[in-house]
Amino acid sequence: MGGAFLAAAVLARVGGRIGLPTIPLFILAGILLGPHTPGAVIVDDPHELEMLSALGLVLLLFYLGLEFHLDDLKAGGRKMVLAGTVYLILNVGAGLGFGFLLGWGTSEALVMAGVIGISSSAIVTKILVDLKRLGSPETKPILGIIVVDDIFLALYLAALQPVLSHSDGLGAALRDGGKAFGFLLLLALAARFGTRVISKLINTRDDELLVISFLGAAVFVAGISEWFGVADAIGAFMVGLMLGSTTSGARILKLVHPLRDAFGAIFFFAFGLSIDPGDLPSVMWPVLAAVVLTVAMNVLSGMFSARVYGFGALAASNISTTLMARGEFALILATMAAGAGLDERLSPFIAGYVLVLAVLSPLAAGRSQWLARILPGGRAEEREAEKEPAPV
């Protein structure tokens, strides 16, 4: 683990000098020092870092929940649902159509729909943090789409599991979906009406006790979420929403920062460990086609979301490029597909597709003004910005 931290740090320092984002560099460190490439191998089995990787994902989403309050979500609830629904229709629909077009099978197409349709909460959060956009107006629709994505994912995984296992049938799928939805509703009610009680329970002047308390709450609820069929990430996010509204919220935000950075790096490093570069050439063309399709669908959904919220071309570009990444949830689907004995080309396809977008999305988000120039109204918006006087 020490080698993983040091390798990620060295590559990130080198990349930072030439302006590269940290996410693809952490992933690259995992690829280079994993079991699938020649040379030094720090970790033989990627599962050895599985729990630490899960903790990194939990802390990334917990931090995102702390940054926002329920008032932010309630104020734009209808817009959030509309933007998230259109995002899912475009991306999941395109993924399903692409899966059938490849001709690998119906179950494979259903997996492909989830892989191509769901954005990576972890990478999106890291991009927003790295680019210091957590306070930007367009971050609200980005957050809304992530929340809708994660709720859909919980229901989709519950429905997909019996299909892949060829057992239990529709009744089990409906039961699992209802269980997931009920737990999400319980978390939402606790966040809405339990803030005062939670604030009294979590409040303490001792930083040590506060760290243990909020870390225990985030990890415990994330684990319970998985038992109910809800992604652990959304459970951690809901805990962040609850604690961010308490009197200790500002202190928790400060104290969780180094934990988020450290274990977030391990999450992306472990992601790199799971990628075998030798498998990628056989699925290169489907991967590139899926990447082009994803970029197109994200641009369309970003433009729609910007219009719903009354934003301009630059905000539309920021939404499009930030949400482009695919990551942890695609890997969950890859694991399910492998366990179900689906087409052997599916796993390397998912790995290559996720890797390309995990690299492309942070790079594109940092240069989103280039895309904004070619979107409708982008040139005019840029000229207006140039006319504005510089801040004193």
Side-chain angles (χ1 to χ4, degrees), residues 3-361:
F5 276 122
L6 289 174
V10 169
L11 272 180
R13 282 174 176 266
V14 172
R17 293 181 181 273
I18 56 177
L20 291 177
T22 57
I23 294 171
L25 295 170
F26 292 155
I27 295 172
L28 179 62
I31 294 174
L32 293 177
L33 297 174
H36 304 300
T37 52
V41 176
I42 286 183
V43 183
D44 290 317
D45 183 2
H47 293 294
E48 291 177 7
L49 293 182
E50 192 170 15
M51 183 59 71
L52 293 174
S53 172
L55 182 58
L57 176 61
V58 164
L59 288 172
L60 282 167
L61 271 294
F62 174 71
Y63 180 85
L64 185 62
L66 287 171
E67 280 284 352
F68 292 88
H69 300 283
L70 282 175
D71 292 338
D72 296 322
L73 296 178
K74 288 187 293 183
R78 291 184 179 179
K79 293 179 179 179
M80 177 188 83
V81 172
L82 180 59
T85 301
V86 170
Y87 183 89
L88 285 172
I89 290 172
L90 288 172
N91 285 274
V92 174
L96 185 62
F98 183 76
F100 280 120
L101 187 64
L102 285 178
W104 292 355
T106 300
S107 295
E108 287 78 1
L110 291 171
V111 171
M112 198 82 74
V115 169
I116 293 179
I118 307 294
S119 185
S120 167
S121 301
I123 297 179
V124 168
T125 304
K126 191 69 167 61
I127 290 173
L128 292 173
V129 170
D130 287 352
L131 297 180
K132 297 179 174 60
R133 289 182 182 167
L134 285 171
S136 300
E138 65 269 17
T139 298
K140 288 185 179 180
I142 291 173
L143 172 66
I145 291 171
I146 286 177
V147 171
V148 174
D149 264 14
D150 285 351
I151 294 172
F152 170 79
L153 179 78
L155 301 176
Y156 191 73
L157 287 177
L160 190 62
Q161 182 62 52
V163 174
L164 295 184
S165 61
H166 305 291
S167 62
D168 298 331
L170 181 61
L174 292 174
R175 185 177 65 250
D176 291 342
K179 186 172 69 172
F181 183 78
F183 183 70
L184 285 172
L185 183 61
L186 180 64
L187 290 179
L189 290 173
R192 175 67 180 87
F193 299 107
T195 303
R196 290 185 179 181
V197 175
I198 295 169
S199 183
K200 290 179 181 179
L201 291 173
I202 201 74
N203 187 40
T204 175
R205 294 182 179 180
D206 190 315
D207 283 350
E208 179 185 13
L209 291 179
L210 185 59
V211 169
I212 294 170
S213 299
F214 75 69
L215 188 60
V219 175
F220 181 74
V221 174
I224 294 295
S225 297
E226 283 204 333
W227 189 80
F228 277 96
V230 177
D232 52 5
I234 194 63
F237 174 82
M238 295 300 292
V239 175
L241 271 181
M242 296 178 204
L243 299 187
S245 301
T246 65
T247 54
S248 304
R251 286 173 60 209
I252 294 173
L253 191 67
K254 182 179 179 181
L255 291 169
V256 78
H257 206 283
L259 293 171
R260 179 209 71 192
D261 288 343
F263 289 99
I266 289 295
F267 170 79
F268 294 111
F269 180 88
F271 174 39
L273 290 174
S274 67
I275 295 174
D276 185 353
D279 291 338
L280 303 183
S282 63
V283 291
M284 180 179 63
W285 294 115
V287 165
L288 293 179
V291 167
V292 171
L293 180 65
T294 302
V295 171
M297 292 301 103
N298 273 262
V299 170
L300 288 176
S301 61
M303 291 169 62
F304 177 84
S305 299
R307 182 178 290 273
V308 167
Y309 280 83
F311 298 148
L314 181 58
S317 179
N318 288 341
I319 295 170
S320 302
T321 53
T322 303
L323 288 168
M324 199 181 295
R326 302 293 185 264
E328 65 279 5
F329 301 136
L331 298 181
I332 292 171
L333 289 168
T335 303
M336 290 175 62
L342 300 188
D343 194 298
E344 62 182 13
R345 292 168 292 184
L346 198 55
S347 291
F349 167 84
I350 293 174
Y353 171 74
V354 169
L355 177 61
V356 171
L357 287 177
V359 173
L360 179 62
S361 184

